[in-house]
């Protein structure tokens, strides 16, 4: 990778960073370039080179290209960030259907993971479960990424997660799982052609501190959809300050054919707007948050994010050796 390219990208990252968590140590910079001008030609090879039980920050910079890879970030490799320069130029793609833990294009098992300006897609299409991204580690953050599939796009499985300025596309339960996650200024685009759900949150007991919050987001689509349905009996989803196009059906929510869940789910909206936000015909077992109730959902405090969401590193060093 040419030095001028590295300097340009790092300068852009530093300008784009606005997060409060400070990084005091230099990150180890690793480059991936399909043309052979980086440290590695494949993203997975760069991940594999990170030591087990790693304690240092690794910043894997991926040069634009289409990377046909099935990626796994193992649980014993924390503190990795993988970044492109812009999402529509750095594309990680796979085509596979199957069970939700087996089909993902990109799987994150490690804690303290970050991704920036990547497209992560599963191109399988309709007809089966086909996960694009599975996030099963704690303290994972995604900035400016594009995540797309059709059914079960984003398995937001377990842990605390933060998504900012991401584009997420799918048709059926395309944001699902039992993580505690904040989606800020994200664009949700539903491919549903009827009444499929955007979310399927799986909170299974009132003692679980999990749920999805969508803050300042935008919902568009091709036809119509509902905001969510309960994968777990205590499913918790909040939409706040979100623009809803007329793709959102008037009833807003679905009980997945189990009326008993109507008394246990927590489905709330707060100061949403647009033609799909009209609450007159919403199901009676959803509701609106008061100003006081909404405060919990309007900051990163709900996921403890101020203590772990990292800024772009401002100092870099190269790895001491290049692994084969």
């Amino acid at each position: 990778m040419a030095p001028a390219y590295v300097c340009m990208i790092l300068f852009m990252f530093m300008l784009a960073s606005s997060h409060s968590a400070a990084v005091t140590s230099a990150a180890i910079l690793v480059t991936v370039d399909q043309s052979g001008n980086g440290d590695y030609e494949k993203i997975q090879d760069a991940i594999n080179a990170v030591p087990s039980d790693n304690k240092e920050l690794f910043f894997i910079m991926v040069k634009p290209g289409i990377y046909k890879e099935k990626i796994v970030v193992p649980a014993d490799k924390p503190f990795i960030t993988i970044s492109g320069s812009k999402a529509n130029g750095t594309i990680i793609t796979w085509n596979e259907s199957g069970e939700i833990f087996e089909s993902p294009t990109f799987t994150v098992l490690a804690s303290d993971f970050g991704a920036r300006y990547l497209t992560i897609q599963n191109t399988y299409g309709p007809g089966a479960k086909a996960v694009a991204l599975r996030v099963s580690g704690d303290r994972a953050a995604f900035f400016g990424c594009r995540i797309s599939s059709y059914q079960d796009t984003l398995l937001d499985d377990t842990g605390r997660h933060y998504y900012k300025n991401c584009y997420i596309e799918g048709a059926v339960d395309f944001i699902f799982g039992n993580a505690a996650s904040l989606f800020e200024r994200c664009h949700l685009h539903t491919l549903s052609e009827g009444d499929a759900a955007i979310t399927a949150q799986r909170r299974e007991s009132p003692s679980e501190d999990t749920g999805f919050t969508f803050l300042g987001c935008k919902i568009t689509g091709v036809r119509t959809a509902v905001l969510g349905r309960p994968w777990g009996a205590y499913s918790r989803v909040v939409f706040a300050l979100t623009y809803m196009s007329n793709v959102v059906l008037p009833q807003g929510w679905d009980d997945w054919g189990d009326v008993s869940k109507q008394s246990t789910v927590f489905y709330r909206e707060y100061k949403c707007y647009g033609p799909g936000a009209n609450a007159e015909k919403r199901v009676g077992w959803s509701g609106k948050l008061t100003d006081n109730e909404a405060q919990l959902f309007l900051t990163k405090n709900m996921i403890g994010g101020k203590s772990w969401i990292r800024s772009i590193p401002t100092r870099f060093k190269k790895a001491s050796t290049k692994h084969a």
Side-chain angles (χ1 to χ4, degrees), residues 208-278:
E208 290 183 294
D209 192 18
T210 60
F212 302 158
T213 295
F214 298 88
L215 176 61
C217 294
K218 175 172 68 172
I219 300 173
T220 61
V222 299
R223 191 175 166 193
T224 54
V226 293
L227 296 170
R229 59 179 183 170
W231 190 13
Y234 290 83
S235 180
R236 180 159 60 184
V237 181
V238 171
F239 284 90
L241 306 172
T242 289
Y243 171 79
M244 299 181 179
S245 71
N246 57 9
V247 70
V248 178
L249 287 165
Q251 66 266 31
W253 307 88
D254 181 79
D255 64 12
W256 215 331
D258 185 349
V259 294
S260 68
K261 292 179 180 178
Q262 295 181 8
S263 61
T264 54
V265 298
F266 186 88
Y267 290 157
R268 299 290 186 269
E269 298 169 56
Y270 177 72
K271 292 187 177 179
C272 295
Y273 60 101
N278 189 331

Side-chain angles (χ1 to χ4, degrees), residues 21 77 166 174 183 187 219 228 250 291 317:
K77 297 193 177 188
C166 291
F174 67 93
F183 297 79
H187 181 177
I219 300 173
D291 290 343
K317 59 184 179 181

Side-chain angles (χ1 to χ4, degrees), residues 2-320:
Y5 176 84
V6 174
C7 292
M8 181 272 288
I9 298 305
L10 296 183
F11 177 70
M12 182 189 73
F13 286 151
M14 285 184 274
L15 288 179
S17 178
S18 61
H19 308 291
S20 59
V23 173
T24 56
S25 61
I28 296 173
L29 177 64
V30 178
T31 57
V32 177
D33 184 346
Q34 289 178 322
S35 67
N37 292 322
D39 298 309
Y40 301 95
E41 295 181 15
K42 293 183 178 181
I43 299 168
Q44 189 66 55
D45 288 344
I47 295 168
N48 292 346
V50 175
S52 295
D53 303 317
N54 164 57
K55 299 293 191 296
E56 297 191 84
L57 298 178
F58 272 77
F59 194 92
I60 300 174
M61 183 179 292
V62 184
K63 193 169 183 181
I66 298 174
Y67 294 81
K68 294 182 179 180
E69 298 189 52
K70 189 175 173 73
I71 302 292
V72 176
V73 183
D76 66 347
K77 297 193 177 188
F79 303 112
I80 292 175
T81 293
I82 301 177
S83 182
S85 54
K86 55 183 180 179
N88 60 7
T90 307
I91 300 168
I92 302 168
T93 185
W94 200 251
N95 182 322
E96 184 175 332
S97 65
E99 290 306 308
I100 57 175
F101 295 111
E102 299 170 0
S103 64
T105 300
F106 198 118
T107 295
V108 178
L109 303 177
S111 63
D112 299 288
F113 175 81
R116 293 175 179 267
Y117 314 121
L118 303 172
T119 288
I120 301 169
Q121 64 184 25
N122 189 326
T123 60
Y124 183 81
K129 301 170 184 176
V131 176
L133 173 62
R134 170 192 173 188
V135 189
S136 298
D138 193 22
R139 301 183 299 274
F142 298 79
F143 300 90
C145 292
R146 295 179 63 88
I147 306 162
S148 67
S149 183
Y150 190 87
Q151 181 171 341
D152 300 336
T153 301
L154 170 56
L155 172 50
D156 197 52
D157 184 29
T158 61
R160 293 165 290 172
H161 308 150
Y162 180 61
Y163 303 83
K164 185 171 184 180
N165 294 325
C166 291
Y167 174 89
I168 308 170
E169 178 182 281
V172 182
D173 304 332
F174 67 93
I175 302 174
F176 72 113
N178 196 23
S181 297
L182 174 61
F183 297 79
E184 187 171 4
R185 299 182 196 171
C186 291
H187 181 177
L188 316 181
H189 186 75
T190 172
L191 303 176
S192 169
E193 297 183 355
D195 59 358
I198 293 171
T199 68
Q201 206 280 332
R202 199 181 187 176
R203 183 168 173 257
E204 294 182 300
S205 93
S207 64
E208 290 183 294
D209 192 18
T210 60
F212 302 158
T213 295
F214 298 88
L215 176 61
C217 294
K218 175 172 68 172
I219 300 173
T220 61
V222 299
R223 191 175 166 193
T224 54
V226 293
L227 296 170
R229 59 179 183 170
W231 190 13
Y234 290 83
S235 180
R236 180 159 60 184
V237 181
V238 171
F239 284 90
L241 306 172
T242 289
Y243 171 79
M244 299 181 179
S245 71
N246 57 9
V247 70
V248 178
L249 287 165
Q251 66 266 31
W253 307 88
D254 181 79
D255 64 12
W256 215 331
D258 185 349
V259 294
S260 68
K261 292 179 180 178
Q262 295 181 8
S263 61
T264 54
V265 298
F266 186 88
Y267 290 157
R268 299 290 186 269
E269 298 169 56
Y270 177 72
K271 292 187 177 179
C272 295
Y273 60 101
N278 189 331
E280 289 183 3
K281 295 183 180 180
R282 286 289 193 263
V283 292
W285 39 272
S286 67
K288 288 192 173 184
L289 295 175
T290 66
D291 290 343
N292 286 338
E293 291 170 334
Q295 294 310 306
L296 173 65
F297 301 97
L298 300 182
T299 72
K300 298 181 185 69
N301 291 338
M302 60 168 292
I303 54 171
K306 290 186 177 180
S307 67
W308 60 264
I309 296 174
R310 296 195 301 273
S311 302
I312 290 290
T314 57
R315 295 188 297 127
F316 293 87
K317 59 184 179 181
K318 292 294 290 183
S320 57

